[in-house]
Amino acid sequence: MRARKVQNVVFVSGGLGLFGSLLRFAPPELPLTRWWPWLVATAAAVLLAAVIVAIRRHPLIRLWLFGAGVTGVGIWLASSPVPASTPGQAYWPLIAAAGGVVVLVATGFGAHRHVGSAGTVTRWSNRSRRNRGVASVAQIWRTSSPHAVRKRAAQLRPSYRELSFWQRLRVSTKEFATPLARVGLQRVWSPIEDVTLRVGGPRTGKTGELACRVLDAPGAVIATSTRTDLIELTGPVRARKGPLHVFNPSGVGGLKSTITFDPLSGCGDPKTATTRAADLLSGVSAPGRDGGDREFWENQARRALAALMHAAALGERSMRDVLAWVADPQQAAKDVSRFIRRSPEPALESDASQFLTMTEKTRSSICSTIMPALGWLSDATAADAAREGTFDVKQLLDERGTVYMLGAQDAQTAPLVTALTGHIAREARQLAGHAPSGRLDPPLTLALDEAALICPIPLDNWTADMGGRNVTIHIAAQSRAQLRQRWGDTGAAAIMNNAATLMIFGGSRDSDDLQAYSTLTGERDENVPTLSDDGRVTQRSVRRVPVLSPAQIAQLKAGRAVIIRRGMPPVVGTVQMAWKRREVKTARRAERWAKRAERWQQTFGTALTWVVEKLDAADRHYEQRQAERARRRAQRQAQHADDTSGGGR
């Protein structure tokens, strides 16, 4: 009640100030002299009240000060038509100056409270209350719209810096970002430097959405999958942008690998041998890899395998020789020692010597850790895909090609797929270091479907570094538990934190995951009515509830996702499936028509052949009949001639 009275007083003072300013436009014959003493007295009283309120620190001090200032300034605006003989007119500018100072002070207080921490939190609270805790149209436009992405076009694509504003305006937005989902009439876009993570159960739409990231990629693409439907969906469209390659060491769908990759290629360099060994070992399933004995043995195995691969590369041996060395280190000691002496890095020579001279029990533990990473050598298909050959990453980037890496859901070929993916990504990162602004242009896109199963690259480190080099990473996983199983608690947390966009699909039944997702969406105010016995509302209360409850997230329909982007409240959007896109339908229609045309051509060819054969047969039959007729005619003529000659005799 007291606050309302204070507001009424302020409104009255502001009205007086407005009335005084309107008197400035009054006609000259109006007797203003009888109004001005009261106006001046009111302005002085209001200013005095404002000083008293400021001293007592009233909660509505800003309103008091603003009303007092408006009153003083209003009187000054209307002072010009007052006759000079009016008593006290010379002192009225002082009241106006005081009013102006008060207005400035009130404005300063308001600006401080608006931009300070309290004002920021208040704005957040008010905005959340207005929008039910989700992002508004303005927030989506400000953070994730084509306009927001295009403002950073010169930074994201250095090659476009030389273009004018109007030239960049004609460039498609997909050259700078990729659309994730539709929210109402808007689209949520993700810049090419941001990492996206999509989590959801089977058949909820995350693979179909990830296929769209392959289609929208402006540059080269590395796509992993456990099925061939990704190639069937995106292959015809991607073939228009660049060459297609398949790396299928598991023989999924009967497709043959069109490229090969030897893990020993480049291992003559000590650094390459170390990273290649780390990639092979990371492809082995290792649940709970945080600390403990497992981490110790993995470090020892990485050092030993790096030394053996380096020695094999220097000695021009193969991965089968490395497998034989691991299986029987004593028998291999002579060859390994002879080859490793050629190394320019003494540390690897020390690692090899330590591995060969350690106790049998310790060495067997290290060998048992290495052996699963080389299990793919026992598979003829995988060994054939790993035969000697070079893969030119720079040519892939220049031609904007696409590499499809297929793998079965087992750990046998995962090390080989991981090694090739790591090789491509590291080569791309090295090329980016020599590019303008340290960015690839066009960017490289990694679309990793079921990454935890077939391509367990060190995403906990890559998600923090690759985006700034224009290596875009799109990850698809089934749950947080799957991420923790592959990369451990620390690694899974790092991946979640480094992802600029988290897309949560439905289908999850893990209460811990659902509660974590609900916590990320925040809370909102909800009005709770209290009903009487007859059903009338007696009172209303406000309680804090999650923006999206765990049950709502779990029951999302297929094709719907909760999107949590950096710098923007959550939204619920509709993702697009790749098989519903126009270019995919056009490519499939063209493929169907090509098959139909081929069948029609075969049918027409068969029919034409049949007609030609029939015509040839008819011609032969006609010729035979003509020949038979000629023969009979000749016989008759001969008969007639004989008869004629006999009768003459």
Side-chain angles (χ1 to χ4, degrees):
M1 184 65 67
R2 181 181 301 177
R4 185 175 299 175
K5 290 181 179 179
V6 172
Q7 291 181 6
N8 292 336
V9 172
V10 172
F11 291 151
V12 170
S13 63
L16 290 174
L18 180 61
F19 177 70
S21 61
L22 291 177
L23 289 177
R24 182 181 184 89
F25 305 99
E29 61 272 9
L30 185 66
L32 298 175
T33 54
R34 61 182 180 180
W35 294 100
W36 279 108
W38 298 102
L39 292 176
V40 173
T42 302
V46 172
L47 289 175
L48 180 61
V51 173
I52 295 174
V53 170
I55 294 175
R56 292 193 172 188
R57 297 182 179 179
H58 195 277
L60 298 178
I61 181 175
R62 288 188 296 123
L63 289 176
W64 272 100
L65 293 178
F66 190 78
V70 168
T71 303
V73 174
I75 293 175
W76 175 74
L77 289 174
S79 62
S80 58
V82 178
S85 60
T86 304
Q89 186 188 19
Y91 300 99
W92 292 354
L94 298 179
I95 298 178
V101 172
V102 171
V103 169
L104 292 177
V105 172
T107 304
F109 282 167
H112 174 72
R113 296 199 58 171
H114 183 74
V115 301
S117 299
T120 302
V121 174
T122 301
R123 290 198 308 275
W124 287 352
S125 178
N126 295 336
R127 189 182 299 122
S128 176
R129 189 177 298 109
R130 289 195 305 268
N131 302 317
R132 300 297 188 269
V134 297
S136 63
V137 174
Q139 288 173 320
I140 297 176
W141 173 262
R142 187 167 55 250
T143 59
S144 304
S145 65
H147 169 73
V149 174
R150 285 183 173 276
K151 290 194 301 185
R152 305 172 53 199
Q155 176 187 356
L156 296 173
R157 297 292 298 271
S159 61
Y160 290 160
R161 292 178 180 176
E162 299 179 358
L163 301 181
S164 64
F165 172 79
W166 299 107
Q167 290 175 331
R168 285 200 300 266
L169 197 61
R170 291 194 295 268
V171 178
S172 174
T173 308
K174 292 182 180 180
E175 295 292 327
F176 314 111
T178 180
L180 297 179
R182 180 178 291 278
V183 181
L185 299 178
Q186 292 179 296
R187 282 191 181 273
V188 177
W189 293 75
S190 174
I192 56 176
E193 67 176 359
D194 284 353
V195 178
T196 64
L197 172 63
R198 50 205 46 78
V199 182
R203 290 169 296 281
T204 56
K206 64 179 186 299
T207 302
E209 187 274 334
L210 185 65
C212 293
R213 308 289 73 78
V214 178
L215 297 173
D216 294 333
V221 176
I222 307 297
T224 64
S225 180
T226 57
R227 297 174 296 180
T228 59
D229 55 352
L230 187 64
I231 301 179
E232 297 171 358
L233 274 176
T234 63
V237 180
R238 288 296 306 179
R240 303 171 186 172
K241 296 184 178 181
L244 303 182
H245 307 283
V246 178
F247 186 70
N248 187 13
S250 300
V252 177
L255 293 179
K256 293 184 178 180
S257 298
T258 59
I259 58 174
T260 60
F261 174 69
D262 184 8
L264 283 181
S265 60
C267 287
D269 179 22
K271 182 179 179 181
T272 303
T274 302
T275 57
R276 194 68 51 74
D279 289 339
L280 289 173
L281 289 171
S282 65
V284 183
S285 178
R289 296 167 57 178
D290 292 336
D293 294 339
R294 180 177 295 276
E295 183 178 358
F296 170 78
W297 292 116
E298 284 186 354
N299 291 333
Q300 296 296 323
R302 183 172 60 253
R303 294 172 56 190
L305 182 58
L308 295 178
M309 294 180 67
H310 185 50
L314 294 176
E316 297 182 355
R317 297 299 180 92
S318 65
M319 285 300 298
R320 294 192 179 276
D321 295 316
V322 176
L323 178 62
W325 292 346
V326 175
D328 191 357
Q330 292 182 350
Q331 187 70 23
K334 182 177 180 182
D335 290 339
V336 174
S337 300
R338 178 163 53 91
F339 296 147
I340 202 68
R341 292 193 188 99
R342 307 173 187 174
S343 174
E345 180 57 51
L348 288 180
E349 184 177 356
S350 300
D351 292 341
S353 176
Q354 181 182 3
F355 171 71
L356 296 173
T357 58
M358 62 179 49
T359 61
E360 181 66 25
K361 182 178 180 180
T362 304
R363 189 166 56 193
S364 63
S365 299
I366 295 177
C367 292
S368 63
T369 306
I370 296 176
M371 289 300 290
L374 304 178
W376 51 271
L377 287 168
S378 60
D379 189 342
T381 304
D384 184 66
R387 65 181 184 270
E388 184 177 356
T390 58
F391 186 77
D392 193 345
V393 179
K394 187 177 185 305
Q395 183 179 0
L396 174 70
L397 297 176
D398 293 340
E399 295 178 349
R400 305 191 182 193
T402 306
V403 179
Y404 295 97
M405 298 187 183
L406 304 180
Q409 295 184 2
D410 53 35
Q412 190 171 8
T413 59
L416 192 58
V417 177
T418 305
L420 177 55
T421 307
H423 167 69
I424 295 175
R426 290 187 177 91
E427 286 291 324
R429 181 169 57 184
Q430 184 177 0
L431 292 173
H434 301 285
S437 301
R439 293 175 178 267
L440 290 176
D441 193 1
L444 170 65
T445 300
L446 302 182
L448 308 177
D449 188 18
E450 301 295 350
L453 296 178
I454 63 174
C455 187
I457 55 179
L459 289 177
D460 48 346
N461 298 325
W462 287 13
T463 51
D465 176 67
M466 290 296 190
R469 305 175 188 274
N470 271 5
V471 178
T472 310
I473 302 179
H474 302 292
I475 310 168
Q478 295 181 2
S479 63
R480 289 198 313 157
Q482 189 183 53
L483 297 178
R484 289 195 298 267
Q485 181 184 12
R486 173 58 65 177
W487 288 281
D489 293 340
T490 304
I495 295 173
M496 295 282 290
N497 291 333
N498 294 336
T501 302
L502 173 62
M503 302 180 66
I504 306 169
F505 291 79
S508 178
R509 296 297 181 268
D510 191 329
S511 58
D512 293 337
D513 286 2
L514 293 174
Q515 187 61 46
Y517 301 149
S518 178
T519 303
L520 290 177
T521 61
E523 294 183 340
R524 61 182 176 87
D525 292 338
E526 183 181 62
N527 294 325
V528 181
T530 302
L531 303 179
S532 60
D533 295 338
D534 56 356
R536 292 184 299 176
V537 178
T538 58
Q539 64 178 8
R540 294 182 181 272
S541 60
V542 179
R543 65 177 180 179
R544 299 288 291 176
V545 297
V547 175
L548 291 172
S549 65
Q552 289 174 322
I553 298 176
Q555 296 168 6
L556 284 172
K557 296 181 180 180
R560 301 273 288 177
V562 178
I563 303 174
I564 303 176
R565 267 194 58 78
R566 185 180 300 158
M568 186 184 77
V571 294
V572 180
T574 303
V575 298
Q576 187 180 24
M577 298 295 101
W579 52 83
K580 295 183 179 180
R581 294 183 54 150
R582 181 181 303 173
E583 59 266 38
V584 175
K585 291 182 179 179
T586 303
R588 285 187 168 182
R589 192 181 303 114
E591 185 178 359
R592 288 196 301 267
W593 278 106
K595 291 182 179 179
R596 290 177 182 176
E598 184 179 358
R599 290 198 301 268
W600 291 345
Q601 185 176 4
Q602 292 177 355
T603 303
F604 179 75
T606 303
L608 183 61
T609 302
W610 181 83
V611 171
V612 170
E613 290 177 354
K614 292 298 182 180
L615 291 176
D616 290 342
D619 290 341
R620 288 194 301 269
H621 181 66
Y622 177 76
E623 291 176 356
Q624 291 176 358
R625 290 182 61 186
Q626 292 296 329
E628 182 67 21
R629 290 178 179 176
R631 185 180 63 80
R632 290 179 179 179
R633 188 181 302 111
Q635 288 180 352
R636 286 196 300 269
Q637 290 177 356
Q639 180 94 23
H640 180 69
D642 292 342
D643 293 344
T644 303
S645 60
R649 288 193 298 268

